[in-house]
Amino acid sequence: MSTVSVRIPTILRTYTGGESEVKAVGATLRDVIADLEANHPGIAARILDDGGKVRRFVNVYVGDEDVRFADGLDTPTPEGVQVSVIPAVAGG
């Protein structure tokens, strides 16, 4: 299991006690989100939809890689990598 840092967007910091970055443990993004949920209840539902997939309006990066173009929730999370959760911004 790897320990990674997870950047938390302002809108989700109510789940992390205001912290902008938290540590999580997991070999894959799926594991990391499960660990986040265990330590910050309710946060996973804001990242994942009812089908267990990353929500349409949330972008998740492992390092510089958008998980939608990698292995999704099965994207490996090596020791020390930064995971970023970024809500998509609608423009118009």
Side-chain angles (χ1 to χ4, degrees):
M1 287 286 187
S2 308
T3 300
V4 301
S5 61
V6 183
R7 295 187 60 204
I8 306 296
T10 304
I11 197 167
L12 297 183
R13 290 181 190 163
T14 53
Y15 297 96
T16 61
E19 294 294 319
S20 62
E21 193 165 302
V22 297
K23 296 290 183 197
V25 176
T28 65
L29 180 59
R30 183 182 318 278
D31 298 336
V32 166
I33 292 173
D35 188 59
L36 274 179
E37 179 65 19
N39 292 299
H40 309 284
I43 198 165
R46 305 294 301 194
I47 299 170
L48 304 177
D49 64 20
D50 293 338
K53 293 186 164 66
V54 175
R55 286 187 176 276
R56 186 171 164 208
F57 296 109
V58 175
N59 297 313
V60 180
Y61 291 83
V62 173
D64 293 329
E65 192 165 24
D66 184 334
V67 299
R68 291 185 206 284
F69 303 108
D71 294 323
L73 292 173
D74 295 320
T75 300
T77 50
E79 181 73 31
V81 77
Q82 184 166 68
V83 175
S84 301
V85 178
I86 304 169
V89 178

